[in-house]
């Protein structure tokens, strides 16, 4: 199975400041189509997960443009340009190139 | 408005069975692949199983193969997860999720609110 590693488990951020969350895969997630099979989900406290970014860099419907996804192959990054209080929660990366697997999650908290 | 509402969770003894349901509304259910993902208490997310649009194709994680079966009834806009031989480690919140699929690429674009399954004697 492809192992997804989010090296930062907790990320305290001051509102208005940027934040960056990394995700590394044990194998390349580059699909033959040229897209990376990597998605980002946010699970806010007490809620179910919601899709933020799909195929590496495409924002889901309704997701603010403060969120962006980048990377290719095995290294990926989710960036929030200016963190707001509503962004708190656990961020998960997920690959579906093979049997789907999630990263351990990165908990973003407000300083 | 699009909705996925899970039901059927509860307390079950080890070795027992449970059938989860997910009622879909607000979209054309038969046009979408669907899946189940679970989350053990205080833990991360684990993909369990997917099913294609007409129910003829399924895939699942090895840890539940032979014990869990996904199915759907497009006439009832419903997704199911039959869980047999339940173990304590199956205790989790179970989410159903809609899949957006194109060009052999897919992701979960909408999730239900989840239903809690507790396996304990």
């Amino acid at each position: 199975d492809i192992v997804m590693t989010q090296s930062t488990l907790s990320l305290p951020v001051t509102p208005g400041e940027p934040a960056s969350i990394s995700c590394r895969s044990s194998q390349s997630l580059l699909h033959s189509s040229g897209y990376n099979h990597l998605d980002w989900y946010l699970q806010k406290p007490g809620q179910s997960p919601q899709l933020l970014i799909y195929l590496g860099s495409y924002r889901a419907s309704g997701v603010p443009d403060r969120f962006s996804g980048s990377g290719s192959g095995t290294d990926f990054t989710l960036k929030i340009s200016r963190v707001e209080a509503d962004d708190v929660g656990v961020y998960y990366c997920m690959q579906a190139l093979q049997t789907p697997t999630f990263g351990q999650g990165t908990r973003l908290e407000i300083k | 408005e699009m909705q996925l509402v899970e039901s059927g969770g509860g307390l079950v003894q080890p070795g027992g069975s449970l059938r989860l349901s997910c009622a879909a509304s607000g979209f054309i259910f038969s046009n979408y692949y669907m899946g189940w993902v679970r989350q053990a208490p205080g833990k991360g997310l684990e993909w369990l199983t997917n099913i294609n649009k007409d129910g003829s194709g399924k895939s699942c994680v090895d840890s539940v193969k032979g014990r869990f079966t996904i199915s759907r009834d497009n006439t009832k806009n419903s997704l199911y997860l039959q869980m047999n031989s339940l173990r304590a480690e199956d205790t989790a919140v179970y989410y159903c999720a809609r899949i957006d699929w194109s060009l052999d690429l897919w992701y979960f674009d909408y999730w239900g609110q989840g239903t809690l399954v507790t396996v304990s004697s």
Side-chain angles (χ1 to χ4, degrees):
Chain A
D1 286 359
I2 296 177
V3 177
M4 305 299 292
T5 302
Q6 293 178 242
S7 53
T8 300
L9 298 185
S10 179
L11 183 63
V13 183
T14 301
E17 293 296 305
S20 182
I21 298 172
S22 66
C23 174
R24 178 167 291 178
S25 58
S26 60
Q27 300 177 38
S28 174
L29 302 182
L30 186 60
H31 187 265
S32 57
S33 63
Y35 295 95
N36 285 281
H37 216 324
L38 184 284
D39 314 306
W40 290 95
Y41 299 88
L42 165 61
Q43 187 172 31
K44 294 183 178 181
Q47 296 186 19
S48 56
Q50 60 187 85
L51 177 67
L52 291 177
I53 302 289
Y54 61 96
L55 303 183
S57 61
Y58 297 89
R59 267 191 307 277
S61 174
V63 175
D65 59 9
R66 300 183 290 105
F67 291 88
S68 63
S70 63
S72 184
T74 61
D75 288 284
F76 299 88
T77 303
L78 176 70
K79 293 182 180 177
I80 310 172
S81 59
R82 297 174 308 280
V83 170
E84 297 182 359
D86 189 51
D87 298 337
V88 298
V90 182
Y91 291 78
Y92 294 95
C93 59
M94 186 196 93
Q95 69 78 22
L97 187 68
Q98 297 177 12
T99 301
T101 47
F102 291 87
Q104 311 95 307
T106 296
R107 183 177 301 276
L108 186 145
E109 58 186 49
I110 298 296
K111 279 185 182 176
Chain B
E1 180 191 357
M2 217 222 69
Q3 273 198 312
L4 295 171
V5 180
E6 299 94 335
S7 61
L11 176 63
V12 61
Q13 292 190 337
S17 298
L18 212 55
R19 188 198 197 204
L20 306 184
S21 299
C22 173
S25 60
F27 65 100
I28 301 174
F29 181 69
S30 58
N31 283 357
Y32 288 86
Y33 285 61
M34 298 292 295
W36 289 95
V37 175
R38 71 181 177 185
Q39 184 171 36
K43 302 296 185 182
L45 301 168
E46 179 185 23
W47 172 79
L48 293 177
T49 182
N50 288 351
I51 191 168
N52 66 358
K53 296 177 186 180
D54 64 7
S56 62
K58 307 172 187 180
S59 58
C60 74
V61 70
D62 286 346
S63 61
V64 304
K65 205 165 284 183
R67 298 191 302 125
F68 291 10
T69 303
I70 190 172
S71 64
R72 66 190 297 163
D73 186 337
N74 287 344
T75 66
K76 296 182 178 179
N77 292 337
S78 292
L79 178 73
Y80 306 102
L81 184 66
Q82 177 67 43
M83 303 187 295
N84 299 328
S85 303
L86 283 162
R87 308 164 180 166
E89 54 264 36
D90 295 319
T91 294
V93 174
Y94 286 72
Y95 297 102
C96 73
R98 192 180 80 168
I99 291 171
D100 193 346
W101 188 301
S102 64
L103 300 175
D104 199 32
L105 295 158
W106 64 273
Y107 46 88
F108 295 116
D109 65 349
Y110 285 103
W111 299 60
Q113 87 289 348
T115 186
L116 176 62
V117 172
T118 303
V119 184
S120 175
S121 54

